[in-house]
Amino acid sequence: MYRYDHYDQAMVDARVAEFRDQTRRRIEGHMNDDQFKPLRLKNGLYLQLHAYMLRVAIPYGTLDSRQMRKLAHIARTYDRGYGHFTTRQNIQYNWIKLEEAPDILAELATVEMHAIQTSGESIRNISADQYAGAAADEIMDPRPWAEMLRQMTTFHPEFSYLPRKFKIAVIAAAEDRAALRWHDFALRIVRNPAGEQGFEVFAGGGMGRTPFIAYRIREFLPAAQIFSYLQAVLRVWNLHARRDNIHKQRMKILVHDLGEAEFTRQVEEQFAQFLMLKTDFPQAEYDRIAAYFTPPPFESGLADEVDRADPDFALWVDRQTVAHKAPGYAIVNISLKPIGGIPGDISAEQMELVADLAERYSFDELRASHAQNLVLPHVRKQDLYAVWQALDAAGLGGVNLDLVTDIIACPGLDYCSLANARSIPLAQKIAERFADLDRQLEVGEVKIKISGCINACGHHHAGHIGILGVDRKGTENYQLLLGGSGAEDTSQAKIAGPGFDENGVVDAVERAIERYRAIRSDGERFIDTFRRVGFEPFKEAIYG
Amino acid sequence: MKILTGNDLKTGAVVWWDGSGWSLHVEEAADAGEHADVILATETAACRVNGGYIIDGMRDGDGKVRPAHIKDRIRALGPTVRPDLTLKPADPAAGSWVI
Ligand code: SF4
């Protein structure tokens, strides 16, 4: 795992001191809210429905036990005993006091964490495959590149006042677990026929009011040229961006206005210029950072079998663990989606338990996934039973990865000041409707994603079934969308028809799923059946 | 009726203008009527409220003030999915007040 050097630490510490002073000046009345707001947002501090909300960055979703214990400590000391994992692999606290925010940032800095660039018109927390460094199907660990990009872009003057926010993801496997093509800029690490490492580059994706799937703008970019290329992309956006119109500022709008060919042409033109400036990093710098991501010392000769005598444990193993690159190891997914619970929420006690398990059983590593779950990336198969027992005793032994109750839901109108409708109660009702595990397993993979407004933090455009909350004359109303995907088969969900009230949309989801069960062919997931038969059979089931 | 709301600067807590200051309880909100803009401007300038704004209020069956829109009713109570964290944690029916 990357460790701060003295430059990183000095920058973060200076930022804490600066924000402490800014906060003092605001509280003493030397600044008004309009003056203070951009400063607090630069430090991840929002004013939400009930209080200040602090969003803490978890770079590429990687944490160690020391950091997780600090997050638990913050939840208990400064918040109300819990935190919420988001779809950008970050964590949010909902009940923060302004006067305590600088102390929280100071505590975070002691474990090499911060809230910088988790808001505002900046390059946001760079996301990655939550199985990075562990997945059997990856060609390398993508995190050294994510860390390189983080260092290149943090505090970069040209990127500090971008036209709008900018989201980057990096993966290194054919299976896309990071919603790659829904990002402004996304990289898949590949090798060319000569065996050289490089990137397949995507640009212009994004959800929100105007959803677009990113174009592939480069089939192969030599790895060492990535910073020149990223600067070229940002330069083209910066030159043309519609800073006059908030709805047109995201890069996806520019990319799709110019068109794939013209955008790419301009990027390549800028790229040629940047290459001449020689701003790319030297190999030694990559090597220095990559050394932090050296694989842990996996034991050899471990048994690959798991004792499946306990049927509940066997169910959990089958659903919640996935193949690891090292024989005798497994990747463990920890569900933060208990039936009737709040997707992504976790108590301070649960955080501490997960930290203990990471320390004892997973080489001190933990991951947050964009689907609002946690991951223990490197667990010996012989330890799985002990891990499961501990998780189960803490209410974290849920079996539902990628099933109908593994719902992504944004905070919605229960917490978010931009919301039109509540998301969480809907997730709870759908989960309760499908609580029976046999039924869930029989239905198979269905990804339901819920957003409380058009900003789409709940990724509803990428849901096999998406739900969007809208305000209809002062009451909550929900639009149902079908056919989206955030995986390697990326597609954009489309609205099925007229909206519903809360109970109505739960019924509609059930009718869509029952129609799928009735018409699916062997081995088809919900999304496969939808793609084969189209909207009509589902509309007929939903609207009758 | 017009009522004023915002957040406490230091704690971020949701507050309501009660005619002379800011209260945590929406039941104490005063009808600011046509003076709403002036009161809000004065209170904001004096840093006594943060992010303040004016909303429509109404009286429920018991004559108590509550916001007209669901968003501010949720603000007035707390998250509907965590009754233990609302202003009325002991009242199991509190959620129905919001919806
Ligand atoms: S989608 Fe809308 S309601 Fe949900 S968290 Fe984002 S801004 Fe808030």
Side-chain angles (χ1 to χ4, degrees), chain A residues 26-27 29 31 33 47-52 80 82 95-99 342 413-419 422 424-425 428 471 474 476, chain B residues 7-14 44 47 49-51 53 68-71 73-82 84-86 98-99:
Chain A
R26 171 68 181 127
I27 288 174
M31 264 193 274
D33 192 40
L47 185 57
Q48 287 290 17
L49 222 49
H50 310 294
Y52 294 95
R80 297 194 178 180
Y82 69 106
W95 303 93
I96 297 302
K97 296 181 175 69
L98 175 62
E99 52 193 344
I342 298 176
L413 194 51
D414 278 298
Y415 290 101
C416 176
S417 58
L418 299 173
R422 289 171 298 158
I424 299 167
Q428 292 172 320
D471 180 335
E476 295 166 299
Chain B
N7 295 77
D8 181 78
L9 174 60
K10 284 193 206 171
T11 67
V14 174
T44 301
C47 279
V49 68
N50 192 24
Y53 56 99
H69 194 275
I70 183 173
K71 180 173 186 166
R73 291 206 294 277
I74 291 176
R75 285 182 72 247
L77 181 69
T80 63
V81 290
R82 288 294 304 262
D84 55 318
L85 301 180
T86 65
V98 165
I99 307 307

Side-chain angles (χ1 to χ4, degrees), chain A residues 227-243:
Chain A
F227 192 42
S228 288
Y229 200 82
L230 174 60
Q231 286 179 98
V233 167
L234 287 163
R235 178 63 57 84
V236 172
W237 179 36
N238 250 331
L239 284 170
H240 296 294
R242 290 286 308 275
R243 287 177 187 263

Side-chain angles (χ1 to χ4, degrees), chain A residues 347-368:
Chain A
S347 70
E349 293 71 28
Q350 289 174 323
M351 287 185 218
E352 281 164 346
L353 173 92
V354 171
D356 291 347
L357 293 176
E359 190 172 33
R360 184 154 175 210
Y361 295 112
S362 185
F363 293 100
D364 206 21
E365 270 200 48
L366 270 167
R367 307 287 169 73

Side-chain angles (χ1 to χ4, degrees), chain A residues 313-334:
Chain A
F313 169 63
L315 262 180
W316 177 83
V317 169
D318 290 344
R319 196 74 223 169
Q320 298 298 121
T321 70
V322 298
H324 195 284
K325 61 167 70 168
Y329 285 83
I331 299 170
V332 169
N333 286 280
I334 302 171

Side-chain angles (χ1 to χ4, degrees), chain A residues 47-82:
Chain A
L47 185 57
Q48 287 290 17
L49 222 49
H50 310 294
Y52 294 95
M53 179 271 278
L54 182 69
R55 182 179 295 152
V56 178
I58 302 174
Y60 32 89
T62 294
L63 286 166
D64 63 17
S65 61
R66 180 185 59 127
Q67 292 173 320
M68 190 62 140
R69 287 196 188 99
K70 180 61 81 178
L71 295 177
H73 168 74
I74 289 169
R76 190 179 285 122
T77 311
Y78 300 99
D79 202 89
R80 297 194 178 180
Y82 69 106

